[in-house]
Amino acid sequence: MGFNTDALHKGLVKDESFGATITPVYQVSAFSYKDMETLERVFDGKSAGFAYSRIGNPTVSSFEHRINALEHGNGAVATSSGMAAITQSLLNFLSSGDSIIAGAGLYGGTIQLFSLLKNLGIKIIYAADLSPTGLEKLYSPDVKAVFAETISNPSLEIIDIKEIADWAHSKQIPLLIDNTTATPFLVNPIDYGCDIVIHSSSKYINGSSNSISGVIIDSGRFKWNFEKYPAFKEFKIYGQFAYLVRLRKDCNASLGGCLSPMNAYLNLIGLETLGVRIERICNNARVLAEELSKIDGITVNYPLLPGNKNAELAKKQLKGFGGGIFTIRTGSKEKAFKIINSLKTAIIASNIGDVRTLVIYPASTLYIHNTKEEMHAAGVYEDTIRISVGIEDVEDLIADFESAIKGL
């Protein structure tokens, strides 16, 4: 079936009690049982069921099933935020002394997280060139994974997923991809060989900026070497579910970064319109980027613009779309602030993926704790504005931005 049909029907866990068309909110902490023997089996994993919402909840489980279906995964675990998802996805198998290779142009919050991982003895090696040639130069036996963003936020570099996955698998290490900015509507990284997909579902999946959440989807295809990855030794009996079982039983449950039932419910609502929203957002972003690129003194970075080095890969890998965010350079911080403050339709906010168009000056907000080198690697400069395009009528957005820019 097509994506929009799948978004409405695939992976749907029906509530048989009253015939609800979407899983209701199970806003409870714990679940009762008729006898202690049954609860004991649930806790031990020998019987299906829910015991405590930090470990599992029907509404959260429904969200996990549906996003897993859309990402073509083997299973999913939802978390309290996108940052919690990245943290758990890595700590599920990394140990002190391990290294990972990561794309240099990552979201600022991810770079902050990686600086904390260094305190745990986990080394982060940043790659400006995420090609097999570039990766080969950085590889050593202690490298245990590659981490990248499908469309980096906000540098808008697009990675060749299959090329990187093939290289990673030649070294017997997994590829983890943050697919937040692309969403499963534009690409399913697992279909290109990615092993673990991560989302900050607070963004496009939710769509309305009304809840914080994250999710990890495992492909179940990576052949874990239990000597190289000792964290999974006792989970060997679970075969292709080893990563997921440890993630749920140990990492997710013990760290406590669980998703609330209400936020899972809001994500379920957003998930059903993901395809139609992303298509509209991407079309708006392309048209708005094209119009702003015609204005003297404004430099626009968007994958589908003529001459952009990512254009061909976007057409091949992202169904011809370029994503919903782009950046403009204005010439100075003063001009950037004047433009932002003059906008009437676009909203000043730090999120992306809303149905509304959002703008921010990232250098002193999202990247306030990063070095100048890290900012530049992420495509952030002293005159950069990041624009997350919404579903408004594009003519109104064009008029709003043109008025703000020409009023300088």
Side-chain angles (χ1 to χ4, degrees):
M1 294 184 182
F3 183 89
N4 292 313
T5 306
D6 280 345
L8 290 167
H9 301 285
K10 198 172 184 181
L12 179 64
V13 180
K14 293 185 178 180
D15 186 297
E16 302 294 345
S17 301
F18 299 101
T21 57
I22 188 170
T23 308
V25 183
Y26 285 86
Q27 192 66 38
V28 297
S29 299
F31 300 82
S32 65
Y33 286 84
K34 61 181 180 180
D35 54 61
M36 190 59 222
E37 287 80 4
T38 304
L39 182 56
E40 182 182 63
R41 289 194 299 273
V42 171
F43 260 90
D44 199 29
K46 294 178 180 177
S47 290
F50 300 94
Y52 191 61
S53 280
R54 174 168 56 81
I55 303 168
N57 176 282
T59 315
V60 176
S61 179
S62 178
F63 170 61
E64 292 169 342
H65 277 289
R66 295 182 75 175
I67 187 64
N68 179 65
L70 290 180
E71 279 288 17
H72 305 168
N74 190 47
V77 173
T79 62
S80 56
S81 68
M83 296 311 303
I86 295 172
T87 303
Q88 293 183 29
S89 70
L90 292 169
L91 292 185
N92 198 39
F93 65 89
L94 293 178
S95 303
S96 180
D98 290 342
S99 300
I100 65 170
I101 299 175
L106 297 177
Y107 165 62
T110 305
I111 296 173
Q112 281 181 256
L113 166 64
F114 286 175
S115 69
L116 294 177
L117 292 184
K118 291 178 184 178
N119 296 332
L120 301 178
I122 298 169
K123 184 180 179 182
I124 313 299
I125 305 166
Y126 288 105
D129 177 12
L130 276 174
S131 69
T133 302
L135 291 166
E136 194 68 46
K137 293 175 182 177
L138 301 175
Y139 179 75
S140 64
D142 62 349
V143 171
K144 298 296 176 66
V146 177
F147 181 94
E149 295 172 348
T150 316
I151 309 172
S152 57
N153 169 23
S155 63
L156 304 178
E157 294 290 330
I158 299 174
I159 61 167
D160 189 319
I161 300 171
K162 186 178 187 306
E163 186 178 75
I164 300 172
D166 288 346
W167 179 87
H169 297 158
S170 75
K171 304 297 183 183
Q172 297 184 309
I173 59 175
L175 171 61
L176 291 81
I177 288 182
D178 184 335
N179 200 35
T180 299
T181 47
T183 80
F185 176 73
L186 297 187
V187 64
N188 295 119
I190 288 172
D191 292 352
Y192 288 83
C194 172
D195 302 294
I196 297 154
V197 175
I198 301 148
H199 284 278
S200 172
S201 41
S202 321
K203 311 297 191 295
Y204 292 102
I205 288 171
N206 173 270
S208 296
S209 292
N210 58 31
S211 61
I212 301 295
S213 57
V215 66
I216 305 160
I217 304 102
D218 178 36
S219 71
R221 298 174 185 172
F222 186 71
K223 302 291 190 286
W224 295 98
N225 180 320
F226 298 108
E227 296 301 319
K228 189 173 183 176
Y229 298 94
F232 296 129
K233 271 190 175 180
E234 64 179 283
F235 298 90
K236 186 177 180 179
I237 59 171
Y238 296 102
Q240 66 180 15
F241 294 98
Y243 180 90
L244 278 171
V245 174
R246 182 169 198 266
L247 180 62
R248 189 176 296 282
K249 289 185 67 176
D250 280 5
C251 209
N252 184 254
S254 298
L255 289 176
C258 59
L259 178 59
S260 74
M262 187 65 204
N263 284 3
Y265 177 78
L266 293 170
N267 284 346
L268 283 169
I269 295 171
L271 203 58
E272 295 188 336
T273 60
L274 178 62
V276 292
R277 284 187 288 106
I278 294 298
E279 186 169 8
R280 169 83 174 204
I281 285 169
C282 288
N283 287 334
N284 276 359
R286 177 184 56 79
V287 174
L288 181 60
E290 288 173 349
E291 290 301 314
L292 297 189
S293 69
K294 299 173 184 177
I295 301 175
D296 290 339
I298 299 296
T299 304
V300 182
N301 178 23
Y302 186 66
L304 296 185
L305 290 180
N308 190 291
K309 63 180 180 179
N310 293 292
E312 289 306 312
L313 192 53
K315 292 173 184 176
K316 180 183 81 171
Q317 192 172 261
L318 304 178
K319 301 178 183 175
F321 293 102
I325 63 175
F326 66 90
T327 60
I328 63 173
R329 295 189 64 180
T330 62
S332 70
K333 177 180 179 179
E334 182 184 12
K335 288 182 179 179
F337 270 48
K338 283 183 178 179
I339 291 170
I340 290 172
N341 293 339
S342 299
L343 292 166
K344 305 300 182 186
T345 302
I347 297 168
I348 304 171
S350 60
N351 199 17
I352 64 170
D354 199 324
V355 288
R356 302 157 192 83
T357 295
L358 311 177
V359 295
I360 195 167
Y361 177 78
S364 60
T365 54
L366 305 174
Y367 286 83
I368 192 170
H369 299 297
N370 298 108
T371 66
K372 186 170 288 188
E373 291 74 19
E374 289 170 341
M375 284 199 301
H376 290 178
V380 175
Y381 301 90
E382 291 299 315
D383 61 346
T384 299
I385 298 173
R386 187 189 71 182
I387 303 166
S388 172
V389 183
I391 65 170
E392 298 96 341
D393 293 301
V394 73
E395 296 81 6
D396 294 327
L397 293 176
I398 293 168
D400 191 27
F401 278 89
E402 285 185 344
S403 175
I405 294 168
K406 292 175 180 178
L408 289 175

